[in-house]
Amino acid sequence: MSVKESVLTTLKNNTDGFVSGEFLSQKMDVSRTAIWKAITSLRKEGYSIEAVTNKGYRLVTGNGCITQDALINELPDRYKQLDIHVYDTIDSTNTKAKQLALTGAPHGTVVIAKSQTAGKGRLGRSFYSPKDGIYISIVIKPDFDFTMSGLVTTATAVAVAESIEEICDIKTDIKWVNDVYVDNKKVCGILSEGITDFETGQIESIIIGIGINTSVEGFPKELADIAGAISGEYSAPILAAEVISKTLDLMQDIESRTFIDTYRQKNLVIGKTVTVYKGIYINDPSEVPSSRAKVLGIDENGGLMVLYTDGTRETLTSGEISIRI
Ligand code: BTN
């Protein structure tokens, strides 16, 4: 058995308490550095291992609980100083993040909750946010031109899709404009909201809201057909930390559009015939006019290039399409 396997077995047998580094190194007759390397490697594989000074290590079982400490522990050094607000339940992490942004919260401030009582979705809809989900909002103070704002959600969809793939070891797709899918079901929705400075007309903050379903147990009937949940042996703090750091990384250099190729490759809709809705509906799509169109591709700004059945073309920058007949 390798040192890593031995460390994992010992931690698995002691999940209700901490195991000291000294105990592990004596038990396995290896140095403390070797133990630390094994812990680092296990974390990279997705195990959530808590480390507390003078106590040692503890394997967080189940999906792990998102606490401020657990999250900071999993964030890379460059993001360990982020201002992080963790709630069990909140009305909406986006609402809270907006309040914080309006009172001077810095770039990268994070609000995260396990359930929301008034989760907000796109186009004025609500977002069903039952317990044990991962609901994250990140405050962005854009240093990029406001014309780039549309790419914020596009980049975030890529950050979330890649994080789920890496941490949960499951394949993800993206459905234009910003839904992340697993096995043809939506597992994550993204809502970006801007706060504009009236004096300058510039966007002074963007709130990126990310809602990840970890289970669909008890979901209302109308969502049961379309909603899915992430699966696999993942740790929630590790996944949340990955989503946050990948999203912030992509915001650093949004103009370079490094994510756009992945966004295209992962998009479920390219080449498909879809329904384009010409208006906003809350529950019933038949309330608004719609047209069938073939998706030709995605442009450099994340816009959806479509060809309608009457031969006209359009590039959609927002709105809603359906891949169902
Ligand atoms: C959508 O699919 O319509 C977008 C859903 C966005 C939901 C997230 S959950 C975290 C953040 N807080 C909110 O109130 N909404 C976003």
Side-chain angles (χ1 to χ4, degrees):
M1 205 188 267
S2 69
V3 175
K4 186 170 80 178
E5 286 162 346
S6 250
V7 168
L8 182 61
T9 308
T10 312
L11 292 181
K12 275 185 176 167
N13 291 337
N14 293 279
T15 51
D16 46 359
F18 285 85
V19 183
S20 74
E22 193 178 344
F23 173 84
L24 288 168
S25 75
Q26 275 175 13
K27 183 171 183 229
M28 280 146 226
D29 198 17
V30 293
S31 68
R32 294 281 292 271
T33 314
I35 298 296
W36 174 244
K37 278 190 182 153
I39 297 278
T40 307
S41 162
L42 286 167
R43 280 181 171 155
K44 280 198 183 128
E45 284 175 26
Y47 290 98
S48 180
I49 300 170
E50 230 183 314
V52 174
T53 318
N54 296 331
K55 279 188 176 175
Y57 304 104
R58 187 174 71 91
L59 182 68
V60 182
T61 49
N63 292 337
C65 189
I66 298 182
T67 60
Q68 198 180 36
D69 281 352
L71 200 53
I72 290 171
N73 203 18
E74 302 305 343
L75 282 167
D77 285 349
R78 64 187 180 285
Y79 293 132
K80 284 203 190 291
Q81 305 304 322
L82 291 181
D83 188 13
I84 296 174
H85 303 249
V86 181
Y87 295 86
D88 258 349
T89 298
I90 194 167
D91 51 357
S92 152
T93 55
N94 262 33
T95 304
K96 180 70 193 175
K98 237 187 209 178
Q99 287 162 0
L100 292 169
L102 287 167
T103 51
H107 177 80
T109 297
V110 173
V111 180
I112 186 159
K114 280 178 254 169
S115 74
Q116 298 183 117
T117 53
K120 297 199 285 181
R122 289 183 64 233
L123 310 171
R125 297 175 190 147
S126 58
F127 186 75
Y128 185 62
S129 314
K131 71 176 175 69
D132 293 331
I134 303 177
Y135 309 106
I136 308 172
S137 295
I138 310 171
V139 176
I140 302 297
K141 296 279 174 185
D143 61 359
F144 43 83
D145 191 78
F146 77 98
T147 53
M148 294 284 134
S149 306
L151 282 171
V152 165
T153 328
T154 313
T156 306
V158 172
V160 173
E162 285 187 336
S163 300
I164 294 175
E165 247 173 41
E166 266 172 50
I167 306 300
C168 305
D169 202 15
I170 46 178
K171 185 179 175 305
T172 57
D173 299 295
I174 294 172
K175 186 200 143 218
W176 189 89
V177 53
N178 54 9
D179 294 337
V180 178
Y181 271 56
V182 170
D183 291 335
N184 287 316
K185 298 221 164 166
K186 173 172 168 174
V187 300
C188 170
I190 299 164
L191 169 70
S192 298
E193 301 184 89
I195 302 175
T196 311
D197 180 330
F198 279 109
E199 300 264 311
T200 61
Q202 288 291 315
I203 297 179
E204 61 132 60
S205 306
I206 298 173
I207 312 300
I208 307 178
I210 302 160
I212 303 175
N213 301 333
T214 59
S215 158
V216 281
E217 216 184 289
F219 263 49
K221 211 170 129 294
E222 65 274 19
L223 292 179
D225 278 352
I226 44 171
I230 55 169
S231 56
E233 288 218 355
Y234 66 91
S235 135
I238 292 181
L239 176 60
E242 190 66 22
V243 166
I244 293 163
S245 52
K246 268 204 163 60
T247 304
L248 286 171
D249 283 351
L250 289 181
M251 294 305 133
Q252 299 283 3
D253 187 20
I254 202 156
E255 285 98 339
S256 68
R257 296 169 170 81
T258 48
F259 47 84
I260 204 87
D261 281 343
T262 310
Y263 184 77
R264 287 187 183 117
Q265 279 153 21
K266 287 194 158 292
N267 229 294
L268 284 171
V269 300
I270 296 182
K272 298 241 169 78
T273 297
V274 299
T275 304
V276 178
Y277 295 102
K278 301 281 176 185
I280 295 171
Y281 64 87
I282 299 297
N283 291 315
D284 180 5
S286 67
E287 283 167 13
V288 295
S290 61
S291 304
R292 299 285 286 165
K294 182 166 182 193
V295 177
L296 303 176
I298 286 169
D299 75 6
E300 280 305 291
N301 297 316
L304 192 75
M305 300 182 287
V306 296
L307 171 67
Y308 292 105
T309 44
D310 67 3
T312 56
R313 288 167 187 252
E314 189 180 6
T315 299
L316 307 169
T317 53
S318 65
E320 174 103 327
I321 59 166
S322 164
I323 30 183
R324 284 153 200 266
I325 313 284

